[in-house]
Amino acid sequence: IAPLFAVGISHLALTGSSQYIDLIGILAVMVGVIVALVSLLRLGWIAEFLSTPIITGFLAGVAVIIVVHQLPDFFGLPAVSGSTLHRIDVVASHLGATNRWSIGIGAVVLGIVIAAERIDRRLPGALVGLIGSTLLVGALGLHAHGVATLGPLAHGAPRVGLYGLSWAAIRKVAPVALVVALLVVSQTAATTRAFADQGGYQIDAGRDFLGVGVGNIVAGLFGSFPVNASPARTAAVASASGRTQAAGLGAAAALVLLVPASGLLKDVPLATLAAVLIFVATRIFHQHELRAIAHFDRFEFALAVVTLLIVALVGVEQGIGAAVGLAILDRTRLSARPQLHVLGRIPNTTSWAPLSVENHVAQVPGVLVVLFATPLWYANAVHFHSQMDAARGRATGTLRLVVLDALGMADIDYTGSKALRSVIDELEGDHIDFAVARAGRRVCECLNKSGLYERIGADHFFPAVDVAVTTLGSKSPGT
């Protein structure tokens, strides 16, 4: 989110100016309020639209971004800005100008981190690499050999409160706050879902949003910028066996204690930080998961790949938005073509089961029992009608009774009621009785609004399929 809000606020104030810093603090508080409201208004369910393929593609795309953004520091090249493809192009065209000392430091640190993880994940390989490379730079004077370092860091007590707060400032910052808040919600949901799946624990997205929202408010009040759940930082904590918020609180306490000594960090090589982040990126690019998704379903694999490419090449929020949109379209496509199950009675019982599932069930001659275990709505209304016509053509004997098992039909919209009315009209024209079994209260309310409840008749609604067939079948000749 840093490039997003940095660019947004730079259009309102000169970067680095006191007004810029004031607006950044206001932005953080506004983002925090919006994200907290998402939790308080119980909108955490939006996280459920992030399927495993989307999350896998999201993390893979973030991994690509991390690696590409760290390549200039790893190779000792000047900083590069712009899109992912532009960064790759610039790095590739300047490989002849790489700094061997930087590459050596980055490679050694990367090797230390990988070795530490393989020996014991609790070993602080990254910390060892950071301290060792920092001492090496200072002892050998590698600044003179072109090794880029962090340089002097500003440090001191933060100022508390919001400065420059006014309605005019709020109006100017509001559009940026909405965009950043959307990205915070999306990335927080994706990150928490991803690492919950890896750790095998349950999450409460609403609680996470509230935590991140409050974190943003506190950050803004202390003069800091908006924050969110970070895949890279989360992966770093997870790789060090961190499991609770104690890891973050411990890091915060250590940071406060180290503020007086922050001057020692001026010799930290950028190649060291690049190596650590590249290692983290390899841990959130789950190639095994991608292969499993490809083996399971090509469309879901395409979702993962689309998310990966858009996140890596366009942007995080665009990638998540496009993938969620495609996933919803696919679900809509599938829900618009649900299967209409024809039921048969299990011998010597009062139970009924789909003919396609049970081998021993049999249709009762003259009776057609169907199960449409999905809401009947505008997207599948025509499909429902055609499936009913096909089922009538396959019925055994002279059809005298049709029973609709409404278990699983949670809702009927206006278009769906018109399709059902058309089916009932055709059945009445052919002197075929119609009944409904196991209809829920919501379905009955919908049928009542459409006038179909009265049309069907209260005496034609039954608590079970077998009760409907036994009661009405005996009244129908030939059944």
Side-chain angles (χ1 to χ4, degrees):
I1 63 173
L4 188 66
F5 69 72
V7 171
I9 299 300
S10 67
H11 291 302
L12 306 177
L14 181 64
T15 301
S17 65
S18 59
Q19 184 186 8
Y20 180 91
I21 297 172
D22 293 343
L23 292 179
I24 287 290
I26 295 171
L27 174 68
V29 173
M30 291 181 66
V31 169
V33 171
I34 295 171
V35 176
L37 284 174
V38 170
S39 172
L40 296 176
L41 296 177
R42 301 180 182 275
L43 299 177
W45 52 267
I46 62 177
E48 297 171 8
F49 284 99
L50 300 175
S51 64
T52 298
I54 291 177
I55 292 171
T56 303
F58 162 77
L59 288 178
V62 170
V64 172
I65 290 176
I66 291 173
V67 171
V68 172
H69 281 223
Q70 299 309 312
L71 287 179
D73 289 341
F74 189 88
F75 288 117
L77 298 172
V80 182
S81 60
S83 67
T84 300
L85 290 177
H86 174 71
R87 291 170 185 265
I88 294 174
D89 180 62
V90 171
V91 171
S93 61
H94 289 80
L95 287 178
T98 56
N99 185 287
R100 294 182 180 179
W101 279 103
S102 294
I103 295 175
I105 291 173
V108 171
V109 171
L110 185 59
I112 291 173
V113 176
I114 293 174
E117 194 225 17
R118 291 187 176 180
I119 296 172
D120 190 333
R121 291 178 63 184
R122 292 172 294 182
L123 292 176
L127 182 60
V128 171
L130 185 143
I131 294 174
S133 60
T134 302
L135 294 175
L136 182 68
V137 169
L140 299 182
L142 295 183
H143 300 88
H145 294 277
V147 175
T149 60
L150 278 178
L153 299 178
H155 59 280
R159 60 178 188 174
V160 181
L162 291 178
Y163 295 83
L165 182 62
S166 65
W167 286 115
I170 292 175
R171 284 195 298 269
K172 288 193 296 184
V173 173
V176 181
L178 288 171
V179 174
V180 174
L182 175 63
L183 181 56
V184 168
V185 168
S186 301
Q187 188 162 328
T188 297
T191 303
T192 54
R193 279 281 307 276
F195 288 92
D197 293 342
Q198 294 178 37
Y201 55 84
Q202 299 296 318
I203 64 167
D204 182 347
R207 183 187 60 186
D208 292 334
F209 293 150
L210 181 61
V212 174
V214 173
N216 270 284
I217 294 173
V218 174
L221 292 176
F222 278 83
S224 187
F225 45 77
V227 296
N228 69 334
S230 164
R233 291 194 299 272
T234 306
V237 173
S239 65
S241 299
R243 295 184 178 276
T244 69
Q245 290 85 347
L249 294 174
L255 183 63
V256 171
L257 294 175
L258 290 173
V259 165
S262 60
L264 299 176
L265 298 176
K266 63 182 179 63
D267 289 332
V268 173
L270 296 183
T272 295
L273 302 181
V276 173
L277 284 173
I278 289 173
F279 169 79
V280 169
T282 64
R283 291 300 177 270
I284 62 176
F285 193 104
H286 301 140
Q287 63 270 22
H288 300 298
E289 189 79 45
L290 286 171
R291 284 198 294 268
I293 295 170
H295 179 73
F296 181 82
D297 183 79
R298 290 183 178 179
F299 185 86
E300 293 200 88
F301 177 69
L303 280 180
V305 173
V306 167
T307 306
L308 188 164
L309 293 176
I310 298 181
V311 166
L313 303 179
V314 181
V316 173
E317 65 273 27
Q318 293 91 338
I320 294 178
V324 170
L326 290 173
I328 293 175
L329 285 176
D330 181 53
R331 286 292 100 190
T332 303
R333 175 183 64 85
L334 294 176
S335 64
R337 294 293 181 269
Q339 182 179 359
L340 181 80
H341 297 281
V342 177
L343 308 185
R345 179 186 279 141
I346 299 175
N348 302 319
T349 71
T350 58
S351 299
W352 293 68
L355 298 177
S356 58
V357 176
E358 294 284 347
N359 294 326
H360 303 295
V361 300
Q363 283 188 269
V364 175
V367 175
L368 174 63
V369 180
V370 295
L371 171 68
F372 197 68
T374 186
L376 181 56
W377 59 305
Y378 65 87
N380 60 31
V382 174
H383 178 71
F384 168 77
H385 197 161
S386 62
Q387 290 274 291
M388 286 292 297
D389 291 341
R392 284 180 58 187
R394 296 193 300 269
T396 59
T398 302
L399 190 59
R400 292 290 180 265
L401 172 65
V402 172
V403 178
L404 173 63
D405 186 356
L407 182 68
M409 186 181 287
D411 180 66
I412 302 176
D413 72 356
Y414 182 76
T415 307
S417 68
K418 291 191 67 175
L420 183 57
R421 184 188 300 276
S422 178
V423 169
I424 295 173
D425 288 342
E426 293 174 3
L427 293 176
E428 284 188 355
D430 293 333
H431 307 290
I432 300 172
D433 211 357
F434 179 78
V436 179
R438 302 197 286 185
R441 183 172 62 181
R442 174 62 181 167
V443 170
C444 291
E445 289 175 354
C446 295
L447 293 175
N448 190 44
K449 291 178 182 178
S450 65
L452 286 176
Y453 190 91
E454 184 179 358
R455 168 82 176 274
I456 297 169
D459 59 338
H460 278 57
F461 283 82
F462 298 90
V465 170
D466 201 67
V467 176
V469 174
T470 303
T471 302
L472 298 179
S474 60
K475 299 179 183 179
S476 301
T479 59

